[in-house]
């Protein structure tokens, strides 16, 4: 009885499995015709819109970055390099930026790219009605002049050395003036990038097609499919079965399973960092020595090992590879240092510790709660009791924006440019300073100096001083820097993982079956 | 079934749906955060009051709650379910894409659940207190106790490591575009759901079967000399069907809205995932309308179950 019913069910399943294995290999080789193969990238989220100027979700920007170009780009060390701008120069006072555009570039629609497109795109971003995300980063632009088709001159209200870096973010993508006027950009992406927009099955797959006329040389792939699989373990399973070529992972517990077998894990330090931020206007935390004591108490490597399966690295305030400074320079100790912690607490009048609360952003996977527990356990040892509260994003933001906390634990995204990294938080005029709750004349003046300095080499020492100042003030404890993890199935060549999570190197990636 | 009865049922259904929509509407607004914080995250706190006001007007959050509720309901009645703010797509097209995925998943799970559940249930009941009963009961307990995600991970792990196969590697294929490829994608998640369903059905079948088997008419049927198989299926099982159909109806309703985890793990773009992402993004229109559709389906399935009662047992009448 049982056997009679169960057998056919099993038979049907096996038949499906057999035909599935057969057909999956045939579709793979079938896509191999003319101009390379289609590479499949699997990640947990879909793009949530088509307009790069207003999109906020990281995964949307990561997808649109393959379709749109920017005036400047970032190399793998996040140095600013030419994009649609071939050359650029600042005037002596730093208040005028002249940009010479690449010639012979066309949009996917076939329209030629000129300075009029740059002007229209930048004006669209600066128009408050657009609601562009990074408009504030371009606030120094006073006037945009286009003396000829290949030149753009930006008149600035103040010298702004961070502008080229700001103009390398896909939120400042260059669109065609015709599309902006017709409003077509909202529904049909049309860029100058290495891949053109094929079609989009929402929540499922985004199909991109190689742009044979791409100014940097036609991509070697025929196209890229960005597949949405919300569960990271399932992505790993698909990679093991060689049905995905590249997997974008962020959960350290899943990443640590990528060992053995033929998969290759490419990890690179990310710009994002985990931070334990204190409210320097409340109770014992008003005292700089107390904040320093907490910073001295926490063993960063222990947090990385216990909370993130070892996937992370000790970092100071700046996470860009081009601005790497000693992680503890400015602190009166090298953490973990229990003696220094006790001395500082005693000096501040809290030899027996105290109790503070902490709100924790839970995030998409288990890392944040683990971090909170590790920090809590370590502070307990020096007598500081941390009462933690785990909150999902929306609830966290509500509490956070009212600065209704003694401390909080979160992950922050970083910027390649050191000015953009902290101006929002620690500049007395920064729009998030009311939440960061710390500012000082020293920090303000270092930020102003760094912004006015357009010579890259001369900027570095200024930001090193800023790093020291931020560590000395210890409003935040930089716990560790995250990693960007990409898992490659066999056959993928030439893919470079980027600290900013960009997939742009797909333009030179090859795939052999 | 009289016309009056049908009208009453339809009226009840409407009241239920109205209640559901009000509750969903309120719950969404009671939880912290709105479309603006969901979209801008921590940057929402840097908005100036004017920016905030214009965004609130854009999302329609500046109007009183009652106005928001009735303008949405008014639109729903005229067939306009609203628009997703993030993607610009209409909610009806989003549901139109997602509903077939989940419906098929639920239907396949139902077929698997009924086949396995009823056969194992009868198998178990017929050998009451023997080894095979214990085996059947063990299946029931294990099926109920194993969470969906454990079974799904297990199946995915075995398929990918042993067979080099991941069911949802490619984009979702609609059934009418290619039935075979579609079934390859849907059968494994359906199996996960089906096994859990089979466990519930098996336990109900077993107890209902045992109860009916002790009744006088069964003894009479056997006494008449009817073949055992006929007694088993036509007499015992048919009379045990009412509780089985009831539990199946309820479970099917859950399947329509509750396949989120399985859809996530197998990467299927179904209704559960649509609601989940919409809740994260505080896409009010999408959540409200989708939940309304799920509730309507639930009500419909319940009415269908009631109708089935009259087919199974002619003694059951509604008036």
């Amino acid at each position: 009885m049982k056997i009679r019913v169960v057998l056919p069910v099993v038979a049907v399943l096996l038949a499906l499995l057999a035909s599935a294995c057969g057909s999956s290999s045939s579709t793979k080789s079938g896509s191999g015709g003319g101009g390379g193969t289609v590479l499949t990238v699997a990640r947990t989220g879909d793009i949530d819109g088509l307009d790069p100027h207003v999109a906020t979700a990281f995964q949307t920007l990561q997808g649109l970055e393959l379709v749109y170009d920017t005036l400047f780009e970032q190399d793998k060390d996040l140095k600013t390099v030419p994009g649609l701008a071939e050359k650029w120069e600042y005037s002596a006072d730093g208040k005028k930026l002249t940009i010479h555009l690449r010639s012979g570039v066309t949009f996917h629609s076939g329209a030629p790219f000129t300075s009029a497109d740059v002007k229209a795109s930048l004006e669209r971003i600066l128009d408050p009605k657009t609601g562009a995300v990074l408009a504030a980063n371009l606030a120094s632009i006073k006037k945009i002049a286009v003396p000829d088709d290949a030149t753009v001159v930006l008149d600035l209200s103040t010298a702004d050395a961070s502008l080229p870096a700001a103009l390398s973010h896909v939120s400042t993508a260059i669109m065609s003036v015709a599309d902006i006027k017709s409003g077509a950009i909202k529904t049909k992406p049309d860029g100058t990038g290495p891949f053109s927009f094929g079609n989009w099955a929402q929540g499922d797959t985004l199909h991109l097609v190689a742009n044979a006329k791409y100014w940097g040389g036609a991509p070697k792939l025929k196209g890229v499919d960005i597949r949405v699989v919300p569960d990271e373990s399932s992505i790993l399973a698909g990679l093991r079965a060689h049905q995905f070529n590249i997997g974008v992972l962020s959960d350290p517990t899943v990443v640590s399973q990528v060992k053995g077998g033929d998969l290759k894990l490419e990890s690179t330090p990310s710009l994002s960092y985990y931070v334990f931020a204190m409210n320097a206007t409340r109770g014992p935390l008003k005292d700089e020595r107390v904040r320093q004591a907490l910073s001295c108490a926490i063993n960063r490597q222990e947090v990385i090992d216990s909370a993130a399966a070892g996937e992370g690295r000790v970092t100071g305030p700046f996470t860009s590879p081009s601005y790497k400074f000693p992680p503890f320079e400015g602190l009166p100790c090298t953490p973990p240092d229990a003696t220094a912690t006790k001395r500082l607490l005693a000096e501040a009048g809290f030899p027996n510790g105290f109790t503070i609360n902490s709100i924790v952003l839970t995030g998409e996977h288990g890392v944040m709660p683990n971090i909170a527990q590790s920090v809590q356990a370590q502070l307990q040892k020096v007598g500081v009791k941390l009462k933690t509260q785990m909150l999902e994003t929306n609830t966290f933001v509500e509490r956070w924006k009212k600065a209704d906390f003694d401390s909080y634990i979160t992950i922050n995204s970083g910027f390649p440019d050191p000015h953009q990294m902290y101006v929002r938080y620690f500049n007395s005029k920064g729009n998030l300073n009311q939440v960061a709750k710390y500012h000082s004349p020293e920090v303000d003046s270092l930020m102003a100096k760094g912004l006015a300095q357009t010579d890259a080499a001369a900027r570095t020492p200024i930001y090193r001083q800023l790093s020291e100042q931020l560590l000395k003030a210890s409003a935040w404890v930089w716990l560790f820097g995250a990693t960007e993890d990409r898992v490659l199935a066999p056959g993928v060549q030439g893919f470079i993982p980027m600290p900013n999570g960009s997939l742009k190197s797909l333009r030179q990636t090859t795939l052999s079956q | 079934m009289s016309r009056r009865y049908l009208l009453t049922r339809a009226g009840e259904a409407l009241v239920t749906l109205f209640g559901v929509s009000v509750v969903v509407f309120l719950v969404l607004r009671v939880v912290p955060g709105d479309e603006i914080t969901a979209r801008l995250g921590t940057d929402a706190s840097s908005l100036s009051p004017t920016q905030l006001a214009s965004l609130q007007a854009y999302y329609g959050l500046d109007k009183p709650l009652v106005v928001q509720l009735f303008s949405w309901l008014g639109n729903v009645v005229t067939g306009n379910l609203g628009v997703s703010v993030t993607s610009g797509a209409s909610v009806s097209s989003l549901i139109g894409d997602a509903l077939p995925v989940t419906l098929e998943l639920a239907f396949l799970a139902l077929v698997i659940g009924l086949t396995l559940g009823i056969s194992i249930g009868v198998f178990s009941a017929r050998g009451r207190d023997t080894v095979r009963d214990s085996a059947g009961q063990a299946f029931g307990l294990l099926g109920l106790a194993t969470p969906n995600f454990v079974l799904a991970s297990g199946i995915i792990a075995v398929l990918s490591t042993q067979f080099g196969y991941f069911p949802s590697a490619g984009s979702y294929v609609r059934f009418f575009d290619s039935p075979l490829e579609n079934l390859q994608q849907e059968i494994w998640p359906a199996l996960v759901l089906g096994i859990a369903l089979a466990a519930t059905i098996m336990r109900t079948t077993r107890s209902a079967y045992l109860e009916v088997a002790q009744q006088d008419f069964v003894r009479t049927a056997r006494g008449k000399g009817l073949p055992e198989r006929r007694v088993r299926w036509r007499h015992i099982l048919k009379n045990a069907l009412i509780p089985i159909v009831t539990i199946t109806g309820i479970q099917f309703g859950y399947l329509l809205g509750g396949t989120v985890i399985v859809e996530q793990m197998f990467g299927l773009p179904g209704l559960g995932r649509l609601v989940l992402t919409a809740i994260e993004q505080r896409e009010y229109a999408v959540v409200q309308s989708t939940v309304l559709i799920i509730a309507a389906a639930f009500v419909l399935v319940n009415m269908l179950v009631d109708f089935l009662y009259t087919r199974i047992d002619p003694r059951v009448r509604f008036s």
Side-chain angles (χ1 to χ4, degrees), chain A residues 392-395 398, chain B residues 27-39 59 61 85 275-287:
Chain A
E392 63 92 41
T393 311
N394 284 282
T395 323
E398 290 282 309
Chain B
V27 167
L28 270 179
R29 277 147 182 90
V30 168
V31 293
D34 53 28
E35 286 172 298
I36 301 172
T37 55
R39 252 175 109 57
Y59 288 112
L61 302 174
V85 185
V275 179
L276 185 72
T277 9
I279 290 175
E280 279 165 3
Q281 296 169 339
R282 297 289 188 275
E283 283 258 32
Y284 293 153
V286 181
V287 182

Side-chain angles (χ1 to χ4, degrees), chain B residues 52-104:
Chain B
L52 191 63
S54 76
L55 276 176
Q56 279 171 339
Y58 177 70
Y59 288 112
L61 302 174
D62 54 339
K63 300 194 187 75
L65 281 189
V66 183
V67 177
Q68 288 185 42
L69 173 65
F70 282 97
S71 76
W72 167 64
L73 276 179
N75 281 329
V76 168
V77 171
T78 58
N80 172 8
L81 296 181
V83 171
S84 152
V85 185
T86 45
S87 68
S90 74
V91 178
S92 35
S93 77
L94 290 177
I95 294 177
D97 285 341
L99 187 64
V101 180
T102 302
L103 218 51
E104 189 187 336

Side-chain angles (χ1 to χ4, degrees), chain B residues 1 212 215 217 234-243 245-246 304-318:
Chain B
M1 273 189 286
V212 175
Q215 288 182 16
F217 73 87
R234 297 290 294 273
H235 291 259
I236 308 181
L237 193 63
K238 197 175 173 195
N239 282 288
L241 272 182
I242 292 239
V245 167
T246 311
L304 204 69
V305 166
D306 286 352
F307 173 70
L308 271 180
Y309 288 161
T310 63
R311 295 274 118 180
I312 295 167
D313 187 345
R315 288 169 300 182
V316 178
R317 286 201 202 292
F318 297 109

Side-chain angles (χ1 to χ4, degrees), chain A residues 378-436:
Chain A
Q378 296 198 39
L379 292 182
Q380 181 88 48
K381 286 190 209 150
V382 297
V384 175
K385 204 162 169 252
L386 197 66
K387 288 201 287 187
T388 57
Q389 208 180 347
M390 311 284 163
L391 302 172
E392 63 92 41
T393 311
N394 284 282
T395 323
F396 179 89
V397 172
E398 290 282 309
R399 289 276 300 275
W400 183 85
K401 67 181 185 188
K402 287 184 217 138
D404 179 15
F405 53 79
D406 295 332
S407 67
Y408 65 89
I409 295 176
T410 192
I411 179 168
N412 276 345
S413 51
F415 288 86
D417 186 84
H419 178 73
Q420 285 155 10
M421 196 96 192
Y422 293 108
V423 68
R424 305 191 294 168
Y425 295 109
F426 293 124
N427 191 290
S428 56
K429 293 199 185 73
N431 58 18
L432 296 177
N433 190 251
Q434 84 259 18
V435 185

